[in-house]
Amino acid sequence: MATGATRGMVDVLVIFGPNLNMLGTREPEIYGADSMADIMRALSDQAADLDRRIEMMQSNEEGVLVTAIQKARGDAAAILFNLAAYTHTSVALRDALAMFDGPKVEVHLSNNDRREAFRQVSLTAAVSDGSIVGFGADSFRLGLDAAHRLLLRRDGAGAMRQIRGGDP
């Protein structure tokens, strides 16, 4: 079994930040036509294929997101997140992520570096293992794969054979 979580834990907590509940209708020329529900379904299917237990949540409220990250310290092995606008403004969310010891993967649907100057600064990137941006809904799927691989690496060299597809 690939799972990096102990009994009662999830392998990956997936966090959707503010306004992501409006995906599919909010500026589809920037964020794409996929709804948050579409992305969640795809992630659920992918997690099953990877033999990973995931939990997903969304909030428009900064404090709710901070609390979810704090709670993940005892409940999740990794965090996959898109904190949306809070990425650029929230020291509180950055600090909560810094306290989480497991793998952290930041994702964004659009390429922040091709957007407004204020969107080009991520307060959370420095406390993340990596960032995936600009691939639309695929950013989340790529992010889940990255979190899965980071957990395999953390769990030992034997697990690396699973990444490569078996023994050499």
Side-chain angles (χ1 to χ4, degrees):
M1 177 182 250
T3 187
T6 59
R7 183 173 290 188
M9 290 182 72
V10 297
D11 292 300
V12 182
L13 172 63
V14 181
I15 300 175
F16 293 83
N19 295 316
L20 295 182
N21 57 312
M22 302 303 293
L23 288 174
T25 60
R26 177 185 178 216
E27 299 176 274
E29 67 281 1
I30 295 173
Y31 300 109
D34 291 312
S35 69
M36 189 176 77
D38 295 333
I39 295 169
M40 288 177 150
R41 274 190 297 279
L43 290 174
S44 291
D45 291 346
Q46 181 181 357
D49 290 344
L50 294 172
D51 194 24
R52 292 288 181 191
R53 291 177 44 213
I54 66 171
E55 179 180 315
M56 295 178 273
M57 61 89 61
Q58 187 278 331
S59 181
N60 293 319
E61 298 177 30
E62 184 178 25
V64 171
L65 296 168
V66 168
T67 300
I69 294 167
Q70 289 174 349
K71 188 174 180 298
R73 293 177 69 202
D75 293 347
I79 299 175
L80 170 63
F81 65 93
N82 180 336
L83 298 176
Y86 288 138
T87 300
H88 321 292
T89 63
S90 179
V91 174
L93 284 163
R94 179 249 176 248
D95 290 350
L97 285 165
M99 289 186 275
F100 182 82
D101 289 333
K104 298 170 287 262
V105 179
E106 177 177 357
V107 300
H108 294 283
L109 298 157
S110 65
N111 182 343
N112 299 351
D113 290 326
R114 296 183 69 179
R115 306 273 315 271
E116 304 92 337
F118 72 89
R119 293 187 197 273
Q120 296 175 15
V121 176
S122 170
L123 298 182
T124 54
V127 296
S128 301
D129 291 279
S131 301
I132 299 170
V133 302
F135 296 99
D138 285 337
S139 293
F140 276 97
R141 291 186 279 278
L142 294 165
L144 182 56
D145 186 59
H148 167 70
R149 289 168 180 260
L150 288 167
L151 287 170
L152 288 175
R153 286 189 190 116
R154 184 196 70 187
D155 292 343
M160 287 303 293
R161 284 191 291 277
Q162 292 179 4
I163 292 174
R164 292 190 302 267
D167 290 321

Coordinates of all heavy atoms in Angstrom, one line a residue, residues 73-115:
R73 N -1.8 19.2 11.1 CA -0.6 18.8 11.8 C -0.8 17.4 12.4 O 0.2 16.6 12.5 CB -0.1 19.8 12.8 CG 0.3 21.1 12.1 CD 0.7 22.2 13.1 NE 1.9 21.8 13.8 CZ 2.3 22.2 15.0 NH1 1.5 23.1 15.6 NH2 3.4 21.9 15.5
G74 N -2.0 17.1 12.8 CA -2.2 15.8 13.4 C -3.1 14.9 12.6 O -3.3 13.7 12.9
D75 N -3.6 15.4 11.5 CA -4.6 14.7 10.7 C -4.2 14.3 9.3 O -4.9 13.6 8.6 CB -5.9 15.5 10.6 CG -6.6 15.7 11.9 OD1 -6.2 15.0 12.9 OD2 -7.5 16.5 12.0
A76 N -3.1 14.9 8.7 CA -2.7 14.7 7.3 C -1.2 14.5 7.2 O -0.5 15.1 8.0 CB -3.2 15.9 6.5
A77 N -0.8 13.8 6.2 CA 0.6 13.5 5.9 C 1.1 14.6 5.0 O 2.3 14.9 5.1 CB 0.8 12.2 5.3
A78 N 0.3 15.2 4.2 CA 0.7 16.2 3.2 C -0.4 17.2 3.0 O -1.6 16.9 3.2 CB 1.2 15.6 1.9
I79 N -0.1 18.4 2.4 CA -1.1 19.4 2.1 C -0.9 19.8 0.6 O 0.3 20.2 0.3 CB -1.1 20.6 3.0 CG1 -1.3 20.2 4.5 CG2 -2.1 21.7 2.5 CD1 -1.2 21.4 5.4
L80 N -1.9 19.8 -0.1 CA -2.0 20.3 -1.5 C -2.9 21.5 -1.4 O -4.0 21.4 -0.9 CB -2.5 19.3 -2.5 CG -2.9 19.7 -3.9 CD1 -1.7 20.2 -4.6 CD2 -3.6 18.6 -4.6
F81 N -2.4 22.7 -1.8 CA -3.3 23.9 -1.6 C -3.2 24.9 -2.7 O -2.2 25.1 -3.4 CB -2.9 24.6 -0.2 CG -1.5 25.1 -0.2 CD1 -1.2 26.4 -0.5 CD2 -0.4 24.3 0.1 CE1 0.1 27.0 -0.5 CE2 0.9 24.8 0.2 CZ 1.1 26.2 -0.2
N82 N -4.3 25.6 -2.8 CA -4.4 26.8 -3.6 C -5.1 27.8 -2.7 O -6.4 27.7 -2.5 CB -5.2 26.6 -4.9 CG -5.3 27.9 -5.7 OD1 -5.2 29.0 -5.2 ND2 -5.5 27.7 -7.0
L83 N -4.4 28.7 -2.1 CA -5.0 29.7 -1.2 C -5.5 31.0 -2.0 O -5.9 31.9 -1.3 CB -3.9 30.1 -0.2 CG -3.5 28.9 0.7 CD1 -2.4 29.4 1.7 CD2 -4.7 28.3 1.5
A84 N -5.4 30.9 -3.3 CA -6.0 32.0 -4.1 C -5.4 33.3 -3.7 O -4.2 33.4 -3.5 CB -7.5 31.9 -4.1
A85 N -6.2 34.3 -3.6 CA -5.8 35.7 -3.3 C -5.0 35.7 -2.0 O -4.0 36.6 -1.8 CB -6.9 36.6 -3.2
Y86 N -5.3 34.8 -1.0 CA -4.5 34.9 0.3 C -3.0 34.5 0.1 O -2.2 34.8 0.9 CB -5.1 33.9 1.3 CG -6.5 34.4 1.8 CD1 -7.5 33.5 2.0 CD2 -6.6 35.7 2.2 CE1 -8.7 33.9 2.5 CE2 -7.8 36.2 2.7 CZ -8.9 35.3 2.9 OH -10.1 35.7 3.4
T87 N -2.7 33.9 -1.0 CA -1.3 33.5 -1.4 C -0.4 34.8 -1.3 O 0.7 34.7 -0.9 CB -1.2 32.9 -2.8 OG1 -2.0 31.8 -2.8 CG2 0.2 32.7 -3.2
H88 N -1.0 35.9 -1.7 CA -0.3 37.1 -1.9 C -0.4 38.1 -0.7 O 0.3 39.1 -0.7 CB -0.8 37.9 -3.1 CG -1.1 36.9 -4.3 ND1 -0.1 36.2 -4.9 CD2 -2.3 36.6 -4.8 CE1 -0.7 35.5 -5.9 NE2 -2.0 35.7 -5.8
T89 N -1.2 37.7 0.3 CA -1.5 38.7 1.4 C -1.4 38.1 2.8 O -1.3 38.9 3.7 CB -2.9 39.3 1.2 OG1 -3.9 38.2 1.3 CG2 -3.1 40.0 -0.2
S90 N -1.5 36.8 3.0 CA -1.7 36.3 4.3 C -0.4 35.8 5.0 O 0.0 34.6 4.7 CB -2.8 35.2 4.3 OG -2.9 34.7 5.6
V91 N 0.1 36.5 5.9 CA 1.2 36.1 6.7 C 0.7 35.0 7.6 O 1.4 34.0 7.9 CB 1.8 37.2 7.5 CG1 2.9 36.8 8.5 CG2 2.4 38.3 6.5
A92 N -0.5 35.1 8.1 CA -1.1 34.0 9.0 C -1.1 32.7 8.3 O -0.8 31.7 9.0 CB -2.5 34.4 9.4
L93 N -1.5 32.6 7.1 CA -1.5 31.3 6.4 C -0.1 30.8 6.1 O 0.2 29.6 6.2 CB -2.4 31.4 5.1 CG -3.9 31.4 5.3 CD1 -4.6 31.9 4.1 CD2 -4.4 30.1 5.7
R94 N 0.8 31.7 5.7 CA 2.2 31.4 5.6 C 2.7 30.8 6.8 O 3.4 29.7 6.8 CB 3.0 32.6 5.1 CG 4.4 32.4 4.9 CD 5.2 33.1 6.0 NE 6.6 32.8 5.9 CZ 7.3 32.0 6.8 NH1 6.7 31.5 7.8 NH2 8.6 31.8 6.6
D95 N 2.5 31.4 8.0 CA 3.0 30.9 9.2 C 2.4 29.5 9.6 O 3.0 28.7 10.2 CB 2.7 31.9 10.3 CG 3.6 33.2 10.2 OD1 4.6 33.1 9.4 OD2 3.4 34.1 10.9
A96 N 1.1 29.4 9.3 CA 0.4 28.1 9.6 C 1.1 27.0 8.8 O 1.4 25.9 9.3 CB -1.1 28.1 9.4
L97 N 1.3 27.2 7.5 CA 2.0 26.3 6.6 C 3.4 26.0 7.1 O 3.8 24.8 7.1 CB 2.0 26.8 5.2 CG 0.7 26.7 4.4 CD1 0.8 27.5 3.2 CD2 0.4 25.2 4.1
A98 N 4.1 27.0 7.6 CA 5.5 26.8 8.1 C 5.5 25.8 9.3 O 6.5 25.1 9.5 CB 6.1 28.1 8.5
M99 N 4.4 25.7 10.1 CA 4.4 24.8 11.2 C 4.1 23.4 10.8 O 4.2 22.5 11.6 CB 3.3 25.3 12.2 CG 3.7 26.6 12.9 SD 2.5 27.0 14.2 CE 1.3 27.9 13.2
F100 N 3.6 23.2 9.6 CA 3.2 21.8 9.1 C 4.5 21.1 8.7 O 5.2 21.6 7.8 CB 2.2 21.9 8.0 CG 1.7 20.5 7.5 CD1 0.8 19.9 8.2 CD2 2.3 20.0 6.4 CE1 0.3 18.6 7.8 CE2 1.9 18.7 6.0 CZ 0.9 18.0 6.7
D101 N 4.8 19.9 9.2 CA 6.1 19.2 8.9 C 6.1 18.4 7.6 O 7.1 18.0 7.1 CB 6.5 18.3 10.1 CG 6.9 19.1 11.3 OD1 7.4 20.3 11.1 OD2 6.8 18.7 12.4
G102 N 4.9 18.1 7.1 CA 4.8 17.2 6.0 C 5.0 17.9 4.7 O 5.1 19.2 4.6
P103 N 5.0 17.2 3.5 CA 5.1 17.9 2.2 C 4.0 18.8 2.0 O 2.8 18.6 2.4 CB 5.0 16.7 1.3 CG 5.5 15.5 2.0 CD 5.0 15.8 3.4
K104 N 4.3 20.0 1.4 CA 3.3 21.0 1.0 C 3.5 21.4 -0.4 O 4.6 21.7 -0.8 CB 3.5 22.2 1.9 CG 3.3 21.9 3.4 CD 3.8 23.1 4.3 CE 5.3 23.3 4.3 NZ 5.9 22.7 5.5
V105 N 2.5 21.3 -1.2 CA 2.5 21.6 -2.6 C 1.5 22.7 -2.9 O 0.3 22.6 -2.7 CB 2.2 20.4 -3.5 CG1 2.3 20.8 -5.0 CG2 3.2 19.3 -3.2
E106 N 2.0 23.8 -3.4 CA 1.2 25.0 -3.8 C 0.8 24.9 -5.3 O 1.7 24.6 -6.1 CB 2.0 26.3 -3.6 CG 1.2 27.5 -4.0 CD 2.0 28.8 -3.6 OE1 3.1 28.7 -3.0 OE2 1.5 29.9 -4.0
V107 N -0.5 25.1 -5.6 CA -0.9 25.1 -7.0 C -1.7 26.3 -7.3 O -2.4 26.9 -6.4 CB -1.7 23.8 -7.3 CG1 -0.9 22.6 -7.1 CG2 -3.0 23.7 -6.6
H108 N -1.6 26.7 -8.6 CA -2.5 27.8 -9.1 C -2.9 27.5 -10.5 O -2.1 26.9 -11.3 CB -1.7 29.2 -9.1 CG -1.4 29.6 -7.7 ND1 -2.3 30.2 -6.9 CD2 -0.3 29.5 -7.0 CE1 -1.8 30.5 -5.7 NE2 -0.5 30.1 -5.7
L109 N -4.1 27.8 -10.8 CA -4.7 27.5 -12.1 C -4.0 28.3 -13.2 O -3.8 27.8 -14.3 CB -6.2 27.7 -12.1 CG -7.0 26.8 -11.1 CD1 -8.3 27.4 -10.7 CD2 -7.1 25.4 -11.7
S110 N -3.8 29.6 -12.9 CA -3.2 30.5 -13.9 C -1.7 30.6 -13.5 O -1.3 30.3 -12.5 CB -3.9 31.9 -13.9 OG -3.7 32.5 -12.6
N111 N -1.0 31.2 -14.5 CA 0.4 31.4 -14.3 C 0.6 32.8 -13.7 O 0.5 33.8 -14.3 CB 1.2 31.3 -15.6 CG 2.7 31.6 -15.5 OD1 3.1 32.0 -14.4 ND2 3.4 31.2 -16.5
N112 N 0.9 32.8 -12.4 CA 0.9 34.1 -11.6 C 1.9 35.0 -12.2 O 1.8 36.2 -12.1 CB 1.3 33.8 -10.1 CG 0.2 32.9 -9.5 OD1 -0.8 32.7 -10.0 ND2 0.5 32.5 -8.3
D113 N 3.0 34.5 -12.8 CA 4.1 35.4 -13.3 C 3.6 36.1 -14.6 O 4.3 37.0 -15.0 CB 5.3 34.6 -13.6 CG 6.0 34.1 -12.3 OD1 5.9 34.8 -11.3 OD2 6.6 33.0 -12.3
R114 N 2.5 35.7 -15.1 CA 2.0 36.4 -16.3 C 0.8 37.3 -16.0 O 0.1 37.7 -16.9 CB 1.6 35.4 -17.4 CG 2.8 34.6 -17.9 CD 2.5 33.6 -18.9 NE 2.1 34.4 -20.1 CZ 1.7 33.9 -21.3 NH1 1.7 32.6 -21.4 NH2 1.4 34.6 -22.3
R115 N 0.6 37.5 -14.7 CA -0.6 38.3 -14.2 C -0.1 39.6 -13.6 O 1.1 40.0 -13.8 CB -1.3 37.5 -13.2 CG -1.7 36.0 -13.5 CD -3.1 35.9 -14.3 NE -4.2 36.7 -13.7 CZ -5.0 36.2 -12.8 NH1 -4.9 35.1 -12.2 NH2 -6.0 37.0 -12.4

